Amino acid sequence: MIPYLDLNSINKRYQGQFAEAFEKFMERGQMILGDSLSGFEKDYAQYCGTQYCIGVGNGLDALRLIFEGYKIHGKLKDGDKVLICAHSYVATVLAVKQAGLVPVLLEVDPKTFNFDLDALNAVNDPDIKALLPTHLYGDVSPMEAIWVLAQERGWLVIEDAAQAHGAVGVHGKRAGNLAHAAAFSFYPTKNLGALGDGGAVTTNDPELAQCIAYLRNYGSGQKYYNKYSGFNSRLDELQAAFLAIKLKDLDRDNARRIAIAQRYHDQVHNPKIVLPRPNFDGSHVYHLFVAQCEDREKLKAHLATAGIGTSIHYPVPPHRQEGLSELSHFEFPKTERLHETVLSLPMSPVMTDQEVDRVIQALNSFEL
Ligand SMILES: Cc1ncc(COP(=O)(O)O)c(C=O)c1O
């Protein structure tokens, strides 16, 4: 069996180092907001090329705390609108909503899985104050075009970089350093994944960074003194220590993902299967390798019979989710079609060449 994602094998590589980190953790006795967190924050800021990194509880909170920080600084207010691509994970929409802002969805370009730039350029609503591009599947959003437009309209730009650790965007800058602020998730399946929940905000804005450092800790910079009405969302010491270990190999792991993606591209020749556009220059770190097929269920079943696991990202778009009925008036035929055809193929840094061969053979032998 080739699993869709073998998390155990990914983490087993670090078992010895994790055990040492745990020993240190027990000796030190710092559970929350200690040296492991500040060490990882320094390392991750340096890796992304930003001045600041603030570790938080998860990616959803990272997004939400950015918006809350901007509200405190008067750059956003309740009811302001935020533009999001309709084809994203539901957390992108939930963060906007939870921060008291209004998500405005835009149709996807099915070739890039990102904003349709014509639709984006045509937006003309003075209540829109921010743009939240998702680097979906690990592919950096078209930041140059986004930035030009945002400057023209005076929008804040916040990256949802939850799936794009290490991806390199315009001018050689990494995801996390391509906008006013960025949110990362360290959910275990991510390219940089913890052994539980985790997240971070990166930014070069000192005021926002300090505000979020307080907000994640009940709004407090000094114990029992609360400058803001805050939250409890701190990246814990153990997860920070594990992430610091894994960060050292992130570039190597991403390079392996890109090499696998390139093999899929070079060797899958099946007209029934649409592969994502080729992009091997480091601006796509293949968190997911998402193909499309008119009869997805049949392809999924064919691969399962060949012992190959797959997944779907995502079966239902945010505006068709039961829990987001306020968005049900939106109609996005391209986005909705994508959700019926996308299929995520096995992709991980621990896949062997033989496993990649087997996936390629099975894809090539698929007939509708
Ligand atoms: C694009 C995107 N944004 C936000 C999140 C939220 O991250 P978390 O699950 O850590 O809250 C995720 C996580 O899966 C994601 O994929």
Side-chain angles (χ1 to χ4, degrees), residues 264-337:
Y264 284 158
H265 257 282
D266 292 347
Q267 292 171 30
V268 175
H269 304 290
N270 188 332
K272 308 287 180 213
I273 299 168
V274 179
L275 300 178
R277 75 199 160 108
N279 185 358
F280 309 122
D281 62 0
S283 62
H284 193 332
V285 288
Y286 291 95
H287 170 55
L288 302 174
F289 188 94
V290 178
Q292 293 170 63
C293 179
E294 285 300 312
D295 196 341
R296 173 180 66 201
E297 294 316 312
K298 206 166 164 197
L299 176 59
K300 192 171 171 51
H302 167 81
L303 292 172
T305 306
I308 295 165
T310 53
S311 189
I312 296 172
H313 298 88
Y314 301 91
V316 181
H319 69 285
R320 291 283 172 261
Q321 294 288 351
E322 203 182 330
L324 289 171
S325 56
E326 73 271 28
L327 303 178
S328 62
H329 63 281
F330 282 115
E331 297 279 340
F332 299 117
K334 291 179 191 166
T335 298
E336 284 153 31
R337 187 75 197 119

Side-chain angles (χ1 to χ4, degrees), residues 58-60 63 89 91-92 134 160 162-163 185 187 190 198 314:
N58 54 66
L60 173 64
L63 283 168
Y89 182 54
T92 320
T134 302
D160 184 338
Q163 302 190 359
S185 163
Y187 183 76
K190 301 295 194 234
Y314 301 91

Side-chain angles (χ1 to χ4, degrees), residues 38 47 91 114 135 179 228 230 233 261 293 303 333 339:
S38 52
Y47 178 82
N114 213 302
H135 306 320
Y228 309 117
S233 185
C293 179
L303 292 172
H339 286 253

Side-chain angles (χ1 to χ4, degrees), residues 76-77 79-82 104 123-130 153-155:
L76 293 174
K77 60 179 184 330
D80 281 347
K81 295 181 181 171
V82 180
V104 176
V123 169
N124 187 14
D125 178 345
D127 293 336
I128 289 172
K129 301 293 180 208
R153 314 271 166 102
W155 296 336

Side-chain angles (χ1 to χ4, degrees), residues 52-66:
Y52 308 99
C53 166
I54 308 100
V56 300
N58 54 66
L60 173 64
D61 286 357
L63 283 168
R64 178 177 181 177
L65 291 177
I66 292 170

